[in-house]
């Protein structure tokens, strides 16, 4: 496995992250997980925009620009034999090594590392669990950037697995629906597609944005809003979106099946819409 | 600088954290920052208990036991020339390297790394800022363990610095007082010492527990509870606690001074109580 690290391609074994790196020590950083096709990252400009917004919010200087990111990702994909077909790239940006303590250094030396890997296979319909033990914190700006602080999502997924499910649905601090473990959440109620608003703690997912745009362009009613938990009982279909795995139907929540056969008709249609170029 | 890593002492430059380590990728891990004196960690049993509780909650197997931790910390301190005097040890435990994705590996190979450093100097009284932009998520179990997910605390401290202060006071999702950026918060109101309860999003700080125990042993009234923000206006004194820097007086919040000269009489008394062996 060849890794892109601080401007150079190196074997994984030769890439050293310093134990004092603030990404490791304090989750002081960001990441992006990007789908690539035939050696090029898809929707690179959207990933770049989200990364740049996160870096601005955290005050981490970006060590490259959008063109540099495209070139680096391409080099990485080619070096790992992904010149053709689907693959994925994970980018991790941290504030870099620093002395102990919360106070960020005045002149950080950011760490930027990228790995390439096979694109995950499409997932079977999810058996979701409405998580009780942890809430998504929509009252932190970190809920709106793709930060390294993913522990709440891991706790949620662990709870779902322990309950016999394979995906978590998280509520925000107000008890309203927020997101899935590493994906955005959508419900189909009557003829509308609903998804939690960004202000509800939903990450601004790339697949989420694409799906909303494309659904609306088709004349479908797609609404971002405040979704009380009890709306789950009114949904005919439900699904998640993630840029790597696309649309994933949700078969059940806490064992209760949705009325439509899974995947439902609108879920299928939207999955195709998201797949289209 | 000599680092303890996976059971061995090595120069910092020779210690390599894998870029796929889940501690870096997802904040999937824990840490402890411990004070040492004359080559031995103080209150080791309390740090161990907190670490073990966090590891149990996250399902990360601990690669050593309490006795092993004491021995490793001692070796590390001696190797770095801290056989005498005050020093500090940071321990970081992660779930270790893993393939991409949120799902924890079934058989993790945890990463355990420890660094030693000089004990920070006592801090001058804090000019605190009551943070508006981020809330402490008491609705996550991660608020009750010392996890690597410290980004909310960094965002809070950055807001405080931008507002001209040098310490942050965070409220929880209900708008009640929770903690400082990397310390517990205490108020003196009439003759009582108040601190946010753990259920309010306060980290179970070692210095916090010691101070409460010692204050109570002296017959002082020390209460853990729900502290509405407006209590700040009723406080005669306020301070923070942290195991490395002890009691730190708070001079002001958002520019408003507390009535007592800073540090106030009870703050001084409690600082001495915490310092005593």
């Amino acid at each position: 496995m060849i890794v892109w690290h601080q401007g150079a391609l190196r074997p994984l074994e030769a890439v050293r992250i310093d134990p004092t790196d603030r990404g490791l020590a304090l989750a002081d950083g960001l990441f992006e997980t990007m789908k690539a096709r035939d050696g090029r990252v898809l929707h690179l400009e959207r990933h770049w925009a989200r990364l740049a917004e996160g870096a601005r919010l955290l005050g981490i200087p970006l060590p490259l620009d959008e063109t540099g990111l495209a070139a680096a990702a391409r080099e990485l994909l080619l070096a790992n034999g992904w010149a053709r077909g689907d693959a994925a790239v994970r980018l991790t940006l941290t504030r870099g090594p620093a002395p102990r303590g919360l106070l960020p250094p005045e002149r950080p030396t950011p760490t930027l590392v990228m790995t390439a890997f096979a694109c995950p296979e499409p997932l079977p319909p999810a058996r979701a669990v409405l998580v009780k033990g942890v809430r998504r914190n929509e009252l932190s700006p970190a809920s709106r950037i793709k930060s390294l602080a993913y522990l709440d999502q891991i706790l949620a997924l662990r709870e779902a697995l322990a309950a016999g499910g394979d995906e978590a649905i998280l509520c925000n601090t107000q008890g309203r629906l927020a997101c899935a473990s590493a994906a955005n959440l959508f419900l189909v109620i009557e003829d509308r597609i609903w998804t939690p608003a960004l202000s509800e703690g939903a990450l601004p997912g790339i697949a989420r944005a694409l799906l909303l745009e494309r659904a609306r362009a088709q004349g479908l009613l797609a609404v971002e809003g405040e979704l009380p938990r009890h709306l789950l009982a009114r949904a005919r279909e439900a699904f998640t979106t993630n840029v790597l795995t696309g649309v994933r139907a949700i078969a059940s929540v806490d064992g209760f099946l949705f009325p439509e056969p899974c995947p439902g008709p609108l879920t299928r249609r939207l999955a195709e819409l998201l797949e289209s170029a």
Side-chain angles (χ1 to χ4, degrees), chain A:
Chain A
M1 183 178 175
I2 305 295
V3 175
W4 191 96
H5 179 232
Q6 306 296 70
L9 292 171
R10 294 192 182 94
L12 175 66
E13 300 72 33
V15 174
R16 173 185 174 271
I17 304 292
D18 192 292
T20 70
D21 194 292
R22 287 175 62 99
L24 174 71
L26 300 164
D28 192 7
L30 301 159
F31 74 106
E32 289 290 330
T33 310
M34 303 174 280
K35 188 167 178 174
R37 182 161 292 163
D38 296 339
R40 291 186 195 280
V41 169
L42 303 178
H43 314 297
L44 182 97
E45 69 293 349
R46 293 178 191 252
H47 287 288
W48 173 260
R50 184 167 67 181
L51 179 69
E53 170 59 18
R56 189 197 60 73
L57 186 97
L58 299 186
I60 299 179
L62 273 162
L64 41 63
D65 61 13
E66 186 178 337
T67 311
L69 172 59
R74 185 161 173 74
E75 280 176 38
L76 175 69
L77 286 161
L78 297 185
N80 284 280
W82 298 110
R84 289 285 167 269
D86 286 1
V89 172
R90 166 159 172 149
L91 174 158
T92 303
L93 172 71
T94 82
R95 207 183 302 271
R100 196 207 61 83
L102 220 52
L103 201 68
E106 286 199 17
R107 285 183 192 77
T109 49
T111 298
L112 185 57
V113 60
M114 281 193 278
T115 49
F117 46 92
C119 204
E121 296 294 310
L123 295 162
R127 291 169 289 116
V129 171
L130 187 62
V131 163
K132 292 179 188 67
V134 55
R135 295 288 182 86
R136 173 86 171 166
N137 185 9
E138 81 284 4
L139 302 172
S140 167
S143 70
R144 293 182 288 282
I145 59 176
K146 207 162 167 69
S147 90
L148 298 174
Y150 249 59
L151 193 57
D152 283 348
Q153 310 297 109
I154 295 170
L155 289 169
L157 185 58
R158 278 174 53 84
E159 180 178 328
L161 296 173
D166 59 9
E167 176 56 300
I169 296 178
L170 283 102
C171 292
N172 65 18
T173 71
Q174 303 305 305
R176 294 188 295 263
L177 300 173
C179 56
S181 67
N184 287 107
L185 175 68
F186 288 79
L187 303 183
V188 177
I189 300 173
E190 290 158 8
D191 292 328
R192 295 196 179 191
I193 303 152
W194 289 86
T195 195
L198 300 183
S199 56
E200 292 289 279
L203 185 81
I206 308 297
R208 174 187 183 277
L210 286 166
L211 187 134
L212 287 172
E213 287 167 23
R214 292 176 179 183
R216 286 165 181 163
Q218 297 270 317
L220 293 166
L221 285 168
V223 189
E224 301 165 80
E226 297 183 356
L227 276 59
R229 272 175 287 188
H230 65 76
L231 280 186
L232 283 172
R234 288 186 52 203
R236 285 188 5 235
E237 307 173 32
F239 60 88
T240 64
T241 59
N242 169 301
V243 83
L244 288 193
T245 47
V247 166
R248 181 189 190 188
I250 301 178
S252 62
V253 178
D254 293 345
F256 292 95
L257 299 169
F258 290 96
E260 295 285 351
C262 184
L266 209 49
T267 302
R268 280 175 194 271
R269 180 172 167 192
L270 292 164
E272 282 169 26
L273 212 54
L274 190 60
E275 295 289 298
S276 61

